[in-house]
Amino acid sequence: MKRITIAIDGYSSCGKSTMAKDLAREIGYVYVDSGAMYRAVTLYALEHGLIAPDGTIDEERLRAAMPDIVISFQFNPERGRPDTYLNGVCVEDRIRTLEVSNRVSPIATLGVVREEMVRQQQRMGQEGGIIMDGRDIGTTVFPQAELKIFVTASAEVRAQRRYDELTAKGEACNMEDILRNVEERDYIDTHRDISPLRQADDALVLDNSHMTIPEQKQWLLREFERVVNGGKSGMSGDSKISGLSGTLK
Ligand code: CDP
């Protein structure tokens, strides 16, 4: 069976990575979390003093450092998903802090960072059989992807999910800070000059505000099967989804 490319884009904290990694496991595809790559670059910049306390980025030094930033993934069977490595060191936990979340979107606006990340992502997807999630996967990284999904949910629902995730890990946080971060990143991600977050014309839209994880998983699996069985991708997301279930938008 043909191994296709699946692009999942959408707003921050809307559960893209959960659905992507679950489907990858189910169908034996590689899962790549492209946001983790931008987070790893941000961690590098923070740890090397390339971001001033007021948020100013030393772009010249970051440009010079890019060849020294090597990002890779290794599947972690305990978590059932890949861990992110920065220069050979596992940084999975350190890239998920609110400190990194607060700095990542400005880093991700920089052309020098995006060019290098997109190059690495395209190399990872050369053979097909890949599910990648992010902001520009269906528009810039894999515009030829056979299945494109654009995920969205209300900012409040997304902030609550992120809050639950961080508190479960024992990280002290409060809802207000998280909601502000989610809204700020949405704004920066949709307004930047290079590859802003937007729905690809041929993407299916999924509003998962009121969906459970199993419902979402089932929906995605069905769309995957439809595409590999020769169904057409690129139908209007809203009309397609409303026909499937009362819980979907
Ligand atoms: O997990 P969450 O949805 O909160 O974010 P993420 O996927 O880890 O991505 C972190 C940040 O990286 C985003 O807010 C974007 O600013 C940036 N990003 C991007 O610009 N392009 C991508 N393909 C993926 C992430």
Side-chain angles (χ1 to χ4, degrees), residues 9-17 33-36 38-39 96 101 104-106 108-109 114 121 133-137 141 162 181 185-186 188-189 192 195:
D9 289 304
Y11 296 95
S12 68
S13 314
C14 61
K16 298 180 300 289
S17 62
D33 172 356
S34 70
Y38 292 95
R39 286 173 178 272
R96 306 287 168 194
S101 297
V104 60
S105 288
T109 62
R114 299 207 74 81
Q121 289 154 7
D133 76 351
R135 303 292 187 285
D136 59 342
I137 311 306
V141 181
R162 182 48 56 97
N181 173 253
R185 281 200 287 141
D186 286 353
I188 299 174
D189 293 348
R192 67 182 175 221
S195 306

PDB file of all heavy atoms in Angstrom, residues 9-17 33-36 38-39 96 101 104-106 108-109 114 121 133-137 141 162 181 185-186 188-189 192 195, ligand 1:
ATOM      1  N   ASP A   9      -1.875  20.699  10.762  1.00  0.00           N
ATOM      2  CA  ASP A   9      -1.537  22.045  11.224  1.00  0.00           C
ATOM      3  C   ASP A   9      -2.628  22.580  12.128  1.00  0.00           C
ATOM      4  O   ASP A   9      -3.756  22.082  12.113  1.00  0.00           O
ATOM      5  CB  ASP A   9      -1.375  22.988  10.020  1.00  0.00           C
ATOM      6  CG  ASP A   9      -0.114  22.686   9.230  1.00  0.00           C
ATOM      7  OD1 ASP A   9       0.971  22.709   9.839  1.00  0.00           O
ATOM      8  OD2 ASP A   9      -0.214  22.416   8.023  1.00  0.00           O
ATOM      9  N   GLY A  10      -2.286  23.620  12.870  1.00  0.00           N
ATOM     10  CA  GLY A  10      -3.320  24.247  13.685  1.00  0.00           C
ATOM     11  C   GLY A  10      -2.730  25.083  14.798  1.00  0.00           C
ATOM     12  O   GLY A  10      -1.508  25.213  14.939  1.00  0.00           O
ATOM     13  N   TYR A  11      -3.639  25.629  15.597  1.00  0.00           N
ATOM     14  CA  TYR A  11      -3.265  26.542  16.674  1.00  0.00           C
ATOM     15  C   TYR A  11      -2.553  25.813  17.803  1.00  0.00           C
ATOM     16  O   TYR A  11      -2.578  24.580  17.867  1.00  0.00           O
ATOM     17  CB  TYR A  11      -4.527  27.239  17.194  1.00  0.00           C
ATOM     18  CG  TYR A  11      -5.152  28.107  16.154  1.00  0.00           C
ATOM     19  CD1 TYR A  11      -6.186  27.633  15.359  1.00  0.00           C
ATOM     20  CD2 TYR A  11      -4.676  29.388  15.929  1.00  0.00           C
ATOM     21  CE1 TYR A  11      -6.746  28.422  14.370  1.00  0.00           C
ATOM     22  CE2 TYR A  11      -5.234  30.187  14.940  1.00  0.00           C
ATOM     23  CZ  TYR A  11      -6.262  29.701  14.168  1.00  0.00           C
ATOM     24  OH  TYR A  11      -6.795  30.486  13.184  1.00  0.00           O
ATOM     25  N   SER A  12      -1.933  26.591  18.693  1.00  0.00           N
ATOM     26  CA  SER A  12      -1.174  25.970  19.777  1.00  0.00           C
ATOM     27  C   SER A  12      -2.100  25.209  20.723  1.00  0.00           C
ATOM     28  O   SER A  12      -3.255  25.608  20.923  1.00  0.00           O
ATOM     29  CB  SER A  12      -0.381  27.020  20.547  1.00  0.00           C
ATOM     30  OG  SER A  12      -1.253  27.845  21.235  1.00  0.00           O
ATOM     31  N   SER A  13      -1.591  24.135  21.256  1.00  0.00           N
ATOM     32  CA  SER A  13      -2.257  23.353  22.299  1.00  0.00           C
ATOM     33  C   SER A  13      -3.629  22.833  21.877  1.00  0.00           C
ATOM     34  O   SER A  13      -4.526  22.745  22.706  1.00  0.00           O
ATOM     35  CB  SER A  13      -2.435  24.183  23.582  1.00  0.00           C
ATOM     36  OG  SER A  13      -1.263  24.854  23.901  1.00  0.00           O
ATOM     37  N   CYS A  14      -3.810  22.503  20.622  1.00  0.00           N
ATOM     38  CA  CYS A  14      -5.134  21.978  20.273  1.00  0.00           C
ATOM     39  C   CYS A  14      -5.129  20.472  20.061  1.00  0.00           C
ATOM     40  O   CYS A  14      -6.061  19.926  19.461  1.00  0.00           O
ATOM     41  CB  CYS A  14      -5.778  22.728  19.122  1.00  0.00           C
ATOM     42  SG  CYS A  14      -4.852  22.649  17.640  1.00  0.00           S
ATOM     43  N   GLY A  15      -4.116  19.813  20.563  1.00  0.00           N
ATOM     44  CA  GLY A  15      -4.138  18.350  20.554  1.00  0.00           C
ATOM     45  C   GLY A  15      -3.654  17.723  19.252  1.00  0.00           C
ATOM     46  O   GLY A  15      -3.903  16.546  19.009  1.00  0.00           O
ATOM     47  N   LYS A  16      -2.942  18.508  18.454  1.00  0.00           N
ATOM     48  CA  LYS A  16      -2.432  17.967  17.188  1.00  0.00           C
ATOM     49  C   LYS A  16      -1.496  16.790  17.442  1.00  0.00           C
ATOM     50  O   LYS A  16      -1.570  15.769  16.790  1.00  0.00           O
ATOM     51  CB  LYS A  16      -1.632  19.019  16.410  1.00  0.00           C
ATOM     52  CG  LYS A  16      -2.396  20.230  15.994  1.00  0.00           C
ATOM     53  CD  LYS A  16      -1.503  21.206  15.232  1.00  0.00           C
ATOM     54  CE  LYS A  16      -0.310  21.714  16.019  1.00  0.00           C
ATOM     55  NZ  LYS A  16      -0.634  22.632  17.100  1.00  0.00           N
ATOM     56  N   SER A  17      -0.591  16.995  18.402  1.00  0.00           N
ATOM     57  CA  SER A  17       0.443  15.970  18.574  1.00  0.00           C
ATOM     58  C   SER A  17      -0.138  14.677  19.134  1.00  0.00           C
ATOM     59  O   SER A  17       0.300  13.591  18.758  1.00  0.00           O
ATOM     60  CB  SER A  17       1.595  16.477  19.434  1.00  0.00           C
ATOM     61  OG  SER A  17       1.142  16.794  20.707  1.00  0.00           O
ATOM     62  N   ASP A  33       7.158  15.891  15.310  1.00  0.00           N
ATOM     63  CA  ASP A  33       6.585  17.064  15.956  1.00  0.00           C
ATOM     64  C   ASP A  33       7.466  18.259  15.561  1.00  0.00           C
ATOM     65  O   ASP A  33       8.521  18.480  16.161  1.00  0.00           O
ATOM     66  CB  ASP A  33       6.627  16.795  17.471  1.00  0.00           C
ATOM     67  CG  ASP A  33       6.234  17.988  18.311  1.00  0.00           C
ATOM     68  OD1 ASP A  33       5.989  19.069  17.759  1.00  0.00           O
ATOM     69  OD2 ASP A  33       6.190  17.824  19.547  1.00  0.00           O
ATOM     70  N   SER A  34       7.042  19.004  14.535  1.00  0.00           N
ATOM     71  CA  SER A  34       7.931  20.072  14.047  1.00  0.00           C
ATOM     72  C   SER A  34       8.055  21.196  15.073  1.00  0.00           C
ATOM     73  O   SER A  34       9.073  21.884  15.131  1.00  0.00           O
ATOM     74  CB  SER A  34       7.440  20.618  12.706  1.00  0.00           C
ATOM     75  OG  SER A  34       6.243  21.346  12.879  1.00  0.00           O
ATOM     76  N   GLY A  35       7.012  21.371  15.919  1.00  0.00           N
ATOM     77  CA  GLY A  35       7.098  22.404  16.952  1.00  0.00           C
ATOM     78  C   GLY A  35       8.234  22.123  17.921  1.00  0.00           C
ATOM     79  O   GLY A  35       8.877  23.049  18.433  1.00  0.00           O
ATOM     80  N   ALA A  36       8.506  20.843  18.163  1.00  0.00           N
ATOM     81  CA  ALA A  36       9.596  20.476  19.070  1.00  0.00           C
ATOM     82  C   ALA A  36      10.932  20.981  18.524  1.00  0.00           C
ATOM     83  O   ALA A  36      11.834  21.348  19.287  1.00  0.00           O
ATOM     84  CB  ALA A  36       9.648  18.961  19.252  1.00  0.00           C
ATOM     85  N   TYR A  38      11.377  23.798  16.704  1.00  0.00           N
ATOM     86  CA  TYR A  38      11.477  25.235  16.997  1.00  0.00           C
ATOM     87  C   TYR A  38      11.713  25.451  18.497  1.00  0.00           C
ATOM     88  O   TYR A  38      12.427  26.370  18.898  1.00  0.00           O
ATOM     89  CB  TYR A  38      10.217  25.965  16.519  1.00  0.00           C
ATOM     90  CG  TYR A  38      10.123  25.973  15.007  1.00  0.00           C
ATOM     91  CD1 TYR A  38       9.386  24.998  14.338  1.00  0.00           C
ATOM     92  CD2 TYR A  38      10.824  26.906  14.254  1.00  0.00           C
ATOM     93  CE1 TYR A  38       9.331  24.980  12.949  1.00  0.00           C
ATOM     94  CE2 TYR A  38      10.780  26.888  12.863  1.00  0.00           C
ATOM     95  CZ  TYR A  38      10.033  25.913  12.223  1.00  0.00           C
ATOM     96  OH  TYR A  38      10.003  25.887  10.853  1.00  0.00           O
ATOM     97  N   ARG A  39      11.110  24.578  19.302  1.00  0.00           N
ATOM     98  CA  ARG A  39      11.338  24.681  20.748  1.00  0.00           C
ATOM     99  C   ARG A  39      12.805  24.380  21.083  1.00  0.00           C
ATOM    100  O   ARG A  39      13.396  25.008  21.961  1.00  0.00           O
ATOM    101  CB  ARG A  39      10.420  23.706  21.500  1.00  0.00           C
ATOM    102  CG  ARG A  39       8.969  24.154  21.538  1.00  0.00           C
ATOM    103  CD  ARG A  39       8.049  23.095  22.134  1.00  0.00           C
ATOM    104  NE  ARG A  39       6.683  23.578  22.204  1.00  0.00           N
ATOM    105  CZ  ARG A  39       6.179  24.266  23.232  1.00  0.00           C
ATOM    106  NH1 ARG A  39       6.914  24.505  24.297  1.00  0.00           N
ATOM    107  NH2 ARG A  39       4.932  24.693  23.200  1.00  0.00           N
ATOM    108  N   ARG A  96       9.470  21.873  26.969  1.00  0.00           N
ATOM    109  CA  ARG A  96       8.011  22.021  27.178  1.00  0.00           C
ATOM    110  C   ARG A  96       7.669  23.023  28.269  1.00  0.00           C
ATOM    111  O   ARG A  96       6.509  23.150  28.646  1.00  0.00           O
ATOM    112  CB  ARG A  96       7.387  20.664  27.557  1.00  0.00           C
ATOM    113  CG  ARG A  96       7.689  19.543  26.588  1.00  0.00           C
ATOM    114  CD  ARG A  96       6.946  19.669  25.294  1.00  0.00           C
ATOM    115  NE  ARG A  96       7.467  18.737  24.300  1.00  0.00           N
ATOM    116  CZ  ARG A  96       7.190  18.798  23.010  1.00  0.00           C
ATOM    117  NH1 ARG A  96       6.386  19.715  22.548  1.00  0.00           N
ATOM    118  NH2 ARG A  96       7.729  17.952  22.172  1.00  0.00           N
ATOM    119  N   SER A 101       7.959  28.141  25.926  1.00  0.00           N
ATOM    120  CA  SER A 101       6.719  28.511  25.211  1.00  0.00           C
ATOM    121  C   SER A 101       6.629  30.022  25.009  1.00  0.00           C
ATOM    122  O   SER A 101       6.157  30.499  23.980  1.00  0.00           O
ATOM    123  CB  SER A 101       5.482  28.042  25.978  1.00  0.00           C
ATOM    124  OG  SER A 101       5.466  26.648  26.076  1.00  0.00           O
ATOM    125  N   VAL A 104       9.284  30.909  22.074  1.00  0.00           N
ATOM    126  CA  VAL A 104       9.435  30.161  20.822  1.00  0.00           C
ATOM    127  C   VAL A 104       8.863  30.873  19.598  1.00  0.00           C
ATOM    128  O   VAL A 104       9.483  30.850  18.519  1.00  0.00           O
ATOM    129  CB  VAL A 104       8.866  28.717  20.959  1.00  0.00           C
ATOM    130  CG1 VAL A 104       7.396  28.700  21.300  1.00  0.00           C
ATOM    131  CG2 VAL A 104       9.101  27.893  19.705  1.00  0.00           C
ATOM    132  N   SER A 105       7.729  31.541  19.722  1.00  0.00           N
ATOM    133  CA  SER A 105       7.111  32.078  18.498  1.00  0.00           C
ATOM    134  C   SER A 105       7.957  33.177  17.843  1.00  0.00           C
ATOM    135  O   SER A 105       8.077  33.185  16.609  1.00  0.00           O
ATOM    136  CB  SER A 105       5.673  32.517  18.763  1.00  0.00           C
ATOM    137  OG  SER A 105       4.886  31.351  18.937  1.00  0.00           O
ATOM    138  N   PRO A 106       8.557  34.101  18.626  1.00  0.00           N
ATOM    139  CA  PRO A 106       9.453  35.071  17.967  1.00  0.00           C
ATOM    140  C   PRO A 106      10.640  34.388  17.274  1.00  0.00           C
ATOM    141  O   PRO A 106      11.026  34.784  16.166  1.00  0.00           O
ATOM    142  CB  PRO A 106       9.924  35.967  19.120  1.00  0.00           C
ATOM    143  CG  PRO A 106       8.819  35.865  20.137  1.00  0.00           C
ATOM    144  CD  PRO A 106       8.325  34.455  20.047  1.00  0.00           C
ATOM    145  N   ALA A 108      10.548  31.494  15.942  1.00  0.00           N
ATOM    146  CA  ALA A 108       9.996  30.824  14.754  1.00  0.00           C
ATOM    147  C   ALA A 108       9.591  31.796  13.645  1.00  0.00           C
ATOM    148  O   ALA A 108       9.185  31.368  12.571  1.00  0.00           O
ATOM    149  CB  ALA A 108       8.801  29.952  15.144  1.00  0.00           C
ATOM    150  N   THR A 109       9.694  33.117  13.891  1.00  0.00           N
ATOM    151  CA  THR A 109       9.422  34.068  12.804  1.00  0.00           C
ATOM    152  C   THR A 109      10.672  34.267  11.932  1.00  0.00           C
ATOM    153  O   THR A 109      10.564  34.810  10.832  1.00  0.00           O
ATOM    154  CB  THR A 109       9.028  35.482  13.332  1.00  0.00           C
ATOM    155  OG1 THR A 109      10.128  36.007  14.065  1.00  0.00           O
ATOM    156  CG2 THR A 109       7.797  35.439  14.202  1.00  0.00           C
ATOM    157  N   ARG A 114      13.657  29.219  10.100  1.00  0.00           N
ATOM    158  CA  ARG A 114      12.650  28.469   9.331  1.00  0.00           C
ATOM    159  C   ARG A 114      13.279  27.722   8.149  1.00  0.00           C
ATOM    160  O   ARG A 114      12.951  26.585   7.889  1.00  0.00           O
ATOM    161  CB  ARG A 114      11.527  29.388   8.813  1.00  0.00           C
ATOM    162  CG  ARG A 114      10.748  30.095   9.904  1.00  0.00           C
ATOM    163  CD  ARG A 114       9.334  30.435   9.462  1.00  0.00           C
ATOM    164  NE  ARG A 114       8.513  29.241   9.418  1.00  0.00           N
ATOM    165  CZ  ARG A 114       7.929  28.680  10.492  1.00  0.00           C
ATOM    166  NH1 ARG A 114       8.057  29.228  11.676  1.00  0.00           N
ATOM    167  NH2 ARG A 114       7.226  27.573  10.364  1.00  0.00           N
ATOM    168  N   GLN A 121      13.011  19.075   7.837  1.00  0.00           N
ATOM    169  CA  GLN A 121      11.704  18.391   7.845  1.00  0.00           C
ATOM    170  C   GLN A 121      11.445  17.729   6.491  1.00  0.00           C
ATOM    171  O   GLN A 121      10.963  16.602   6.430  1.00  0.00           O
ATOM    172  CB  GLN A 121      10.596  19.404   8.180  1.00  0.00           C
ATOM    173  CG  GLN A 121      10.650  19.856   9.632  1.00  0.00           C
ATOM    174  CD  GLN A 121      10.059  21.228   9.860  1.00  0.00           C
ATOM    175  OE1 GLN A 121       9.477  21.843   8.977  1.00  0.00           O
ATOM    176  NE2 GLN A 121      10.230  21.755  11.065  1.00  0.00           N
ATOM    177  N   ASP A 133       3.259  17.317  12.391  1.00  0.00           N
ATOM    178  CA  ASP A 133       2.333  18.363  12.818  1.00  0.00           C
ATOM    179  C   ASP A 133       3.076  19.667  13.051  1.00  0.00           C
ATOM    180  O   ASP A 133       4.287  19.682  13.276  1.00  0.00           O
ATOM    181  CB  ASP A 133       1.499  17.932  14.037  1.00  0.00           C
ATOM    182  CG  ASP A 133       2.266  17.954  15.344  1.00  0.00           C
ATOM    183  OD1 ASP A 133       3.481  18.141  15.328  1.00  0.00           O
ATOM    184  OD2 ASP A 133       1.627  17.778  16.398  1.00  0.00           O
ATOM    185  N   GLY A 134       2.350  20.784  12.906  1.00  0.00           N
ATOM    186  CA  GLY A 134       2.983  22.096  13.076  1.00  0.00           C
ATOM    187  C   GLY A 134       2.073  23.220  12.653  1.00  0.00           C
ATOM    188  O   GLY A 134       0.863  23.205  12.929  1.00  0.00           O
ATOM    189  N   ARG A 135       2.666  24.212  11.992  1.00  0.00           N
ATOM    190  CA  ARG A 135       1.912  25.398  11.575  1.00  0.00           C
ATOM    191  C   ARG A 135       1.908  25.581  10.059  1.00  0.00           C
ATOM    192  O   ARG A 135       1.017  26.215   9.512  1.00  0.00           O
ATOM    193  CB  ARG A 135       2.540  26.668  12.190  1.00  0.00           C
ATOM    194  CG  ARG A 135       2.645  26.663  13.722  1.00  0.00           C
ATOM    195  CD  ARG A 135       1.284  26.736  14.350  1.00  0.00           C
ATOM    196  NE  ARG A 135       1.339  26.891  15.795  1.00  0.00           N
ATOM    197  CZ  ARG A 135       1.640  25.928  16.656  1.00  0.00           C
ATOM    198  NH1 ARG A 135       1.925  24.716  16.226  1.00  0.00           N
ATOM    199  NH2 ARG A 135       1.637  26.152  17.958  1.00  0.00           N
ATOM    200  N   ASP A 136       2.941  25.065   9.407  1.00  0.00           N
ATOM    201  CA  ASP A 136       3.120  25.329   7.971  1.00  0.00           C
ATOM    202  C   ASP A 136       3.381  24.039   7.208  1.00  0.00           C
ATOM    203  O   ASP A 136       3.977  24.063   6.134  1.00  0.00           O
ATOM    204  CB  ASP A 136       4.328  26.264   7.771  1.00  0.00           C
ATOM    205  CG  ASP A 136       5.621  25.665   8.326  1.00  0.00           C
ATOM    206  OD1 ASP A 136       5.544  24.722   9.152  1.00  0.00           O
ATOM    207  OD2 ASP A 136       6.707  26.111   7.921  1.00  0.00           O
ATOM    208  N   ILE A 137       2.935  22.924   7.743  1.00  0.00           N
ATOM    209  CA  ILE A 137       3.293  21.641   7.128  1.00  0.00           C
ATOM    210  C   ILE A 137       2.527  21.452   5.810  1.00  0.00           C
ATOM    211  O   ILE A 137       3.114  21.112   4.792  1.00  0.00           O
ATOM    212  CB  ILE A 137       3.043  20.455   8.099  1.00  0.00           C
ATOM    213  CG1 ILE A 137       3.671  20.750   9.486  1.00  0.00           C
ATOM    214  CG2 ILE A 137       3.605  19.159   7.524  1.00  0.00           C
ATOM    215  CD1 ILE A 137       5.129  21.104   9.471  1.00  0.00           C
ATOM    216  N   VAL A 141       5.903  22.989   4.039  1.00  0.00           N
ATOM    217  CA  VAL A 141       6.841  21.855   4.143  1.00  0.00           C
ATOM    218  C   VAL A 141       6.440  20.756   3.153  1.00  0.00           C
ATOM    219  O   VAL A 141       7.262  20.299   2.353  1.00  0.00           O
ATOM    220  CB  VAL A 141       6.908  21.319   5.592  1.00  0.00           C
ATOM    221  CG1 VAL A 141       7.902  20.156   5.681  1.00  0.00           C
ATOM    222  CG2 VAL A 141       7.304  22.421   6.563  1.00  0.00           C
ATOM    223  N   ARG A 162      -3.605  22.695  28.167  1.00  0.00           N
ATOM    224  CA  ARG A 162      -2.183  22.909  28.456  1.00  0.00           C
ATOM    225  C   ARG A 162      -1.950  22.984  29.967  1.00  0.00           C
ATOM    226  O   ARG A 162      -0.980  22.447  30.491  1.00  0.00           O
ATOM    227  CB  ARG A 162      -1.714  24.192  27.744  1.00  0.00           C
ATOM    228  CG  ARG A 162      -0.255  24.566  27.871  1.00  0.00           C
ATOM    229  CD  ARG A 162       0.706  23.440  27.601  1.00  0.00           C
ATOM    230  NE  ARG A 162       0.573  22.783  26.323  1.00  0.00           N
ATOM    231  CZ  ARG A 162       1.296  23.051  25.253  1.00  0.00           C
ATOM    232  NH1 ARG A 162       2.196  23.990  25.291  1.00  0.00           N
ATOM    233  NH2 ARG A 162       1.124  22.374  24.144  1.00  0.00           N
ATOM    234  N   ASN A 181      -0.278  33.177  26.976  1.00  0.00           N
ATOM    235  CA  ASN A 181       0.729  32.594  26.082  1.00  0.00           C
ATOM    236  C   ASN A 181       0.079  32.002  24.815  1.00  0.00           C
ATOM    237  O   ASN A 181       0.559  32.198  23.703  1.00  0.00           O
ATOM    238  CB  ASN A 181       1.546  31.533  26.831  1.00  0.00           C
ATOM    239  CG  ASN A 181       2.486  30.782  25.908  1.00  0.00           C
ATOM    240  OD1 ASN A 181       2.250  29.622  25.579  1.00  0.00           O
ATOM    241  ND2 ASN A 181       3.527  31.436  25.445  1.00  0.00           N
ATOM    242  N   ARG A 185       0.833  33.487  21.126  1.00  0.00           N
ATOM    243  CA  ARG A 185       1.429  32.650  20.074  1.00  0.00           C
ATOM    244  C   ARG A 185       0.505  32.560  18.857  1.00  0.00           C
ATOM    245  O   ARG A 185       0.964  32.582  17.725  1.00  0.00           O
ATOM    246  CB  ARG A 185       1.765  31.267  20.613  1.00  0.00           C
ATOM    247  CG  ARG A 185       3.053  31.307  21.406  1.00  0.00           C
ATOM    248  CD  ARG A 185       3.668  29.952  21.545  1.00  0.00           C
ATOM    249  NE  ARG A 185       2.959  29.104  22.468  1.00  0.00           N
ATOM    250  CZ  ARG A 185       2.750  27.804  22.280  1.00  0.00           C
ATOM    251  NH1 ARG A 185       3.183  27.218  21.192  1.00  0.00           N
ATOM    252  NH2 ARG A 185       2.126  27.097  23.186  1.00  0.00           N
ATOM    253  N   ASP A 186      -0.797  32.460  19.097  1.00  0.00           N
ATOM    254  CA  ASP A 186      -1.746  32.457  17.969  1.00  0.00           C
ATOM    255  C   ASP A 186      -1.530  33.709  17.119  1.00  0.00           C
ATOM    256  O   ASP A 186      -1.492  33.650  15.893  1.00  0.00           O
ATOM    257  CB  ASP A 186      -3.201  32.504  18.461  1.00  0.00           C
ATOM    258  CG  ASP A 186      -3.678  31.187  19.049  1.00  0.00           C
ATOM    259  OD1 ASP A 186      -2.937  30.198  18.970  1.00  0.00           O
ATOM    260  OD2 ASP A 186      -4.810  31.168  19.589  1.00  0.00           O
ATOM    261  N   ILE A 188       1.123  35.811  16.939  1.00  0.00           N
ATOM    262  CA  ILE A 188       2.423  35.860  16.227  1.00  0.00           C
ATOM    263  C   ILE A 188       2.430  34.848  15.081  1.00  0.00           C
ATOM    264  O   ILE A 188       2.858  35.153  13.967  1.00  0.00           O
ATOM    265  CB  ILE A 188       3.598  35.590  17.204  1.00  0.00           C
ATOM    266  CG1 ILE A 188       3.641  36.642  18.313  1.00  0.00           C
ATOM    267  CG2 ILE A 188       4.926  35.570  16.446  1.00  0.00           C
ATOM    268  CD1 ILE A 188       4.675  36.366  19.409  1.00  0.00           C
ATOM    269  N   ASP A 189       1.936  33.642  15.344  1.00  0.00           N
ATOM    270  CA  ASP A 189       1.991  32.579  14.327  1.00  0.00           C
ATOM    271  C   ASP A 189       1.148  32.919  13.090  1.00  0.00           C
ATOM    272  O   ASP A 189       1.488  32.536  11.975  1.00  0.00           O
ATOM    273  CB  ASP A 189       1.511  31.230  14.906  1.00  0.00           C
ATOM    274  CG  ASP A 189       2.471  30.682  15.963  1.00  0.00           C
ATOM    275  OD1 ASP A 189       3.587  31.199  16.088  1.00  0.00           O
ATOM    276  OD2 ASP A 189       2.087  29.723  16.673  1.00  0.00           O
ATOM    277  N   ARG A 192       2.951  36.409  11.139  1.00  0.00           N
ATOM    278  CA  ARG A 192       4.356  36.562  10.703  1.00  0.00           C
ATOM    279  C   ARG A 192       4.432  36.590   9.169  1.00  0.00           C
ATOM    280  O   ARG A 192       3.522  36.108   8.478  1.00  0.00           O
ATOM    281  CB  ARG A 192       5.212  35.436  11.286  1.00  0.00           C
ATOM    282  CG  ARG A 192       4.881  34.078  10.735  1.00  0.00           C
ATOM    283  CD  ARG A 192       5.737  32.985  11.378  1.00  0.00           C
ATOM    284  NE  ARG A 192       5.303  31.709  10.890  1.00  0.00           N
ATOM    285  CZ  ARG A 192       5.170  30.616  11.633  1.00  0.00           C
ATOM    286  NH1 ARG A 192       5.457  30.639  12.914  1.00  0.00           N
ATOM    287  NH2 ARG A 192       4.783  29.478  11.078  1.00  0.00           N
ATOM    288  N   SER A 195       5.680  32.025   6.015  1.00  0.00           N
ATOM    289  CA  SER A 195       4.852  30.851   6.303  1.00  0.00           C
ATOM    290  C   SER A 195       3.938  31.037   7.517  1.00  0.00           C
ATOM    291  O   SER A 195       3.995  30.264   8.466  1.00  0.00           O
ATOM    292  CB  SER A 195       5.732  29.618   6.556  1.00  0.00           C
ATOM    293  OG  SER A 195       6.605  29.407   5.508  1.00  0.00           O
TER     294      SER A 195
HETATM  295  O1  CDP B   1       2.488  22.248  21.376  1.00  0.00           O
HETATM  296  P1  CDP B   1       2.004  23.564  20.891  1.00  0.00           P
HETATM  297  O2  CDP B   1       0.891  23.440  19.906  1.00  0.00           O
HETATM  298  O3  CDP B   1       1.742  24.531  21.988  1.00  0.00           O
HETATM  299  O4  CDP B   1       3.159  24.258  20.077  1.00  0.00           O
HETATM  300  P2  CDP B   1       4.273  23.543  19.253  1.00  0.00           P
HETATM  301  O5  CDP B   1       3.680  22.711  18.150  1.00  0.00           O
HETATM  302  O6  CDP B   1       5.211  22.898  20.187  1.00  0.00           O
HETATM  303  O7  CDP B   1       4.995  24.772  18.532  1.00  0.00           O
HETATM  304  C1  CDP B   1       5.633  25.769  19.284  1.00  0.00           C
HETATM  305  C2  CDP B   1       5.770  27.016  18.430  1.00  0.00           C
HETATM  306  O8  CDP B   1       6.673  26.745  17.344  1.00  0.00           O
HETATM  307  C3  CDP B   1       4.513  27.520  17.767  1.00  0.00           C
HETATM  308  O9  CDP B   1       3.749  28.397  18.585  1.00  0.00           O
HETATM  309  C4  CDP B   1       5.060  28.264  16.549  1.00  0.00           C
HETATM  310  O10 CDP B   1       5.456  29.562  16.892  1.00  0.00           O
HETATM  311  C5  CDP B   1       6.297  27.460  16.190  1.00  0.00           C
HETATM  312  N1  CDP B   1       6.096  26.525  15.080  1.00  0.00           N
HETATM  313  C6  CDP B   1       6.203  27.006  13.798  1.00  0.00           C
HETATM  314  O11 CDP B   1       6.400  28.189  13.594  1.00  0.00           O
HETATM  315  N2  CDP B   1       6.107  26.162  12.734  1.00  0.00           N
HETATM  316  C7  CDP B   1       5.869  24.861  12.922  1.00  0.00           C
HETATM  317  N3  CDP B   1       5.807  24.052  11.857  1.00  0.00           N
HETATM  318  C8  CDP B   1       5.722  24.342  14.222  1.00  0.00           C
HETATM  319  C9  CDP B   1       5.816  25.209  15.296  1.00  0.00           C
END
